[in-house]
Amino acid sequence: MTCVCFLTSNCLMPKFDLYDGHGDPVAVLRGYCTKMRGAGRKDKLLMMYFSQSLSGAALEWYTRQDVSKWYAWDDMAQVFARHFQYNIKIVPDRMCLTKIEKKPNKSFRKYGLRWREQAARVNPPMEEKEMVEYFFQAQELTYFGHLITDIGRPFNDVVKIGEMVEDGLKSSKIMSYYALKATTQAIQNDKGSLLGQKEHDDVAMVVLESRHGPKGTHMENK
């Protein structure tokens, strides 16, 4: 995996696009070499800063490696590419897209971009309208309820509306489906308890009257 670059000693260290273990590893290596323009065949320099271009699962993998076994950049690049090549082999299908959920700690915009990247890998390619329909199917009920009326809009517009829903949830202007369901259930339970007590009292009154007559009277045995 040869990296040809021409860096001067006065160049500042570039800002890397962090690779978290998802996506084509070969494309990642090429992008890294481009960022390290000027490193040339200075393998030690390329190897030294490579970890700074990694995050998440990729960085965890790197920290478990015995770097002393890598004598040259090509050695490390080949091992890296082999380990993460499953990203190329495992291509998502349409059904997989419906299972990509938004993580609580991620913004709706980042979620939408990540979902769109996976959708772009589906084969045969998806039309915009079909993509939006599958994106709706991946949403949890709160977002689905607010987005469904915008079916037919471009994907980017749907993501923007999703961000508005996200802001509404954060500001409590919108109640999540699960919070609304819990509140409704609590109200129903309270009403049920009150109705249950009233029904119990009514039955008790009927039994009492059947034995002693209406309230204030006394049934005589004949």
Side-chain angles (χ1 to χ4, degrees):
M1 202 65 66
T2 304
C3 180
V4 181
C5 314
F6 304 94
L7 182 78
T8 64
S9 58
N10 294 327
C11 286
L12 297 175
M13 184 55 56
K15 183 178 180 180
F16 299 113
D17 297 322
L18 299 182
Y19 176 67
D20 62 359
H22 298 90
D24 186 348
V26 176
V28 171
L29 291 170
R30 288 173 180 165
Y32 174 74
C33 287
T34 300
K35 291 281 187 177
M36 290 291 288
R37 190 178 298 113
R41 287 303 307 169
K42 297 177 182 178
D43 286 16
K44 289 185 177 180
L45 187 61
L46 291 172
M47 296 167 67
M48 180 185 303
Y49 290 103
F50 185 61
S51 63
Q52 295 188 24
S53 70
L54 307 176
S55 67
L59 181 58
E60 183 179 344
W61 168 83
Y62 181 87
T63 58
R64 294 198 304 264
Q65 306 308 304
D66 182 359
V67 296
S68 64
K69 294 181 179 180
W70 297 331
Y71 297 103
W73 163 253
D74 284 357
D75 296 334
M76 186 185 72
Q78 291 288 351
V79 174
F80 174 82
R82 281 197 301 270
H83 180 79
F84 290 102
Q85 67 180 350
Y86 65 83
N87 285 287
I88 302 174
K89 295 181 178 180
I90 303 176
V91 178
D93 56 23
R94 285 162 170 75
M95 188 55 63
C96 288
L97 294 177
T98 65
K99 302 184 188 308
I100 301 177
E101 300 178 346
K102 178 184 176 300
K103 298 179 180 178
N105 61 334
K106 297 294 183 181
S107 69
F108 195 87
R109 174 177 288 273
K110 288 185 177 180
Y111 163 65
L113 291 174
R114 180 170 64 92
W115 194 96
R116 180 67 179 79
E117 289 174 355
Q118 293 302 310
R121 299 176 62 200
V122 171
N123 193 31
M126 305 172 69
E127 296 291 339
E128 178 94 359
K129 181 179 179 181
E130 183 186 17
M131 190 182 301
V132 171
E133 290 175 355
Y134 276 95
F135 185 61
F136 282 160
Q137 294 181 41
Q139 304 310 305
E140 55 107 335
L141 291 173
T142 302
Y143 284 94
F144 181 84
H146 286 85
L147 293 176
I148 191 61
T149 56
D150 297 294
I151 193 168
R153 286 176 175 265
F155 185 85
N156 289 342
D157 288 352
V158 173
V159 172
K160 290 178 181 178
I161 296 169
E163 289 184 279
M164 294 173 64
V165 175
E166 181 179 48
D167 291 339
L169 290 170
K170 290 179 179 178
S171 63
S172 299
K173 292 180 180 179
I174 296 177
M175 182 177 288
S176 73
Y177 168 81
Y178 301 103
L180 181 61
K181 182 179 180 181
T183 302
T184 302
Q185 187 64 49
I187 293 173
Q188 290 176 343
N189 288 340
D190 288 341
K191 287 184 177 179
S193 298
L194 292 173
L195 290 173
Q197 183 62 44
K198 185 176 184 300
E199 183 179 12
H200 179 274
D201 293 343
D202 289 345
V203 171
M205 181 61 70
V206 170
V207 172
L208 183 63
E209 290 182 353
S210 67
R211 293 179 179 176
H212 304 288
K215 187 176 181 181
T217 67
H218 179 73
M219 295 288 288
E220 295 182 355
N221 292 327
K222 295 185 179 180

